[in-house]
Amino acid sequence: MHEFKREGLIRAIAIRAPHEFATQWADESSPRGQQARRFLHLLHRCQPDLIAARHNLLSTAYQADETTVIDLARQRGIDLLIKQVLGQGLLIRHPRLPATASLFGAGDHRRQHNWFSPLGRRLIWDGLQPIRNRYGHTPAALANVALRFALTTAPTAVAMLGFRTASQITTIYPRPRPDTARSRRPGRDRRPNSHKP
């Protein structure tokens, strides 16, 4: 891969992080320890430019002394791409809306995941009630909270959001009002030159 990069065939090398990871786990003789060791080994072998990691309000809460993927990327100067910021829709989608056959194809893993079951979606939605009470109940308001959370905890990262339809984009990011979207006239906000008498 690095040879391809030197030849200009690719611009960057990326690696996907485990959904749950702390460097300290690599000392454990557990499944998560084995996964942590494998990731650290691949990180050393690949020397990537970028790490892609899942990070959202549903992510694992880590201990203060644990080194997460976000910490590791910062320590090693590796760029970070955050994915699933909206929890694959769980953080903004009301559980009464259909979320099985109409959304997920036959091979989609979400059909089997407990989070996407009616009970799982209801528990997540109920748990988010204090956030909705404080910041708003619309998909746009909830998406804003989710983005702010992700980029506050990883301020140098890039957040990637996925959409299935064009209507989801306008629902989550409504068009700005005409009075806030007007372009400024040239020089309108210019400060006067301090050197002029």
Side-chain angles (χ1 to χ4, degrees):
M1 297 301 289
H2 287 281
E3 185 63 33
F4 290 160
K5 187 177 172 184
R6 282 190 290 271
E7 292 178 7
L9 300 174
I10 60 174
R11 293 186 182 179
I13 299 169
I15 188 171
R16 183 180 69 83
H19 290 328
E20 298 177 353
F21 170 86
T23 57
Q24 290 78 6
W25 298 353
D27 297 328
E28 300 177 2
S29 59
S30 61
R32 76 176 190 176
Q34 182 180 5
Q35 186 179 53
R37 286 191 297 277
R38 181 176 184 272
F39 176 67
L40 289 171
H41 170 73
L42 291 173
L43 194 67
H44 175 72
R45 287 287 304 272
C46 297
Q47 295 293 308
D49 304 292
L50 180 140
I51 299 175
R54 180 177 76 179
H55 181 58
N56 58 48
L57 287 163
L58 300 175
S59 294
T60 299
Y62 294 93
Q63 301 297 322
D65 61 346
E66 290 181 323
T67 305
T68 67
V69 169
I70 295 170
D71 300 326
L72 188 63
R74 184 175 60 249
Q75 289 171 1
R76 298 196 180 192
I78 302 172
D79 291 330
L80 185 67
L81 173 70
I82 296 176
K83 59 180 185 168
Q84 297 183 21
V85 174
L86 303 180
Q88 295 180 305
L90 288 169
L91 297 173
I92 62 170
R93 187 177 179 81
H94 195 283
R96 283 200 305 264
L97 297 174
T100 51
S102 62
L103 284 181
F104 310 137
D108 196 312
H109 72 92
R110 288 171 289 185
R111 281 174 156 289
Q112 311 301 323
H113 200 295
N114 289 335
W115 280 6
F116 294 91
S117 69
L119 176 60
R121 290 165 52 225
R122 169 52 67 186
L123 290 172
I124 290 169
W125 189 254
D126 290 348
L128 293 170
Q129 185 65 46
I131 291 175
R132 291 195 303 278
N133 288 344
R134 180 167 181 177
Y135 297 103
H137 294 254
T138 66
L142 297 172
N144 190 15
V145 171
L147 274 168
R148 285 178 181 273
F149 168 80
L151 295 177
T152 297
T153 51
T156 60
V158 172
M160 179 176 68
L161 281 75
F163 301 94
R164 294 179 63 87
T165 65
S167 64
Q168 289 178 346
I169 297 173
T170 55
T171 298
I172 294 173
Y173 299 104
R175 293 180 183 178
R177 296 190 313 265
D179 59 328
T180 62
R182 283 185 308 207
S183 59
R184 297 178 189 166
R185 286 191 309 224
R188 170 184 266 185
D189 295 325
R190 259 187 218 152
R191 294 181 183 175
N193 279 330
S194 57
H195 66 274
K196 286 188 177 180

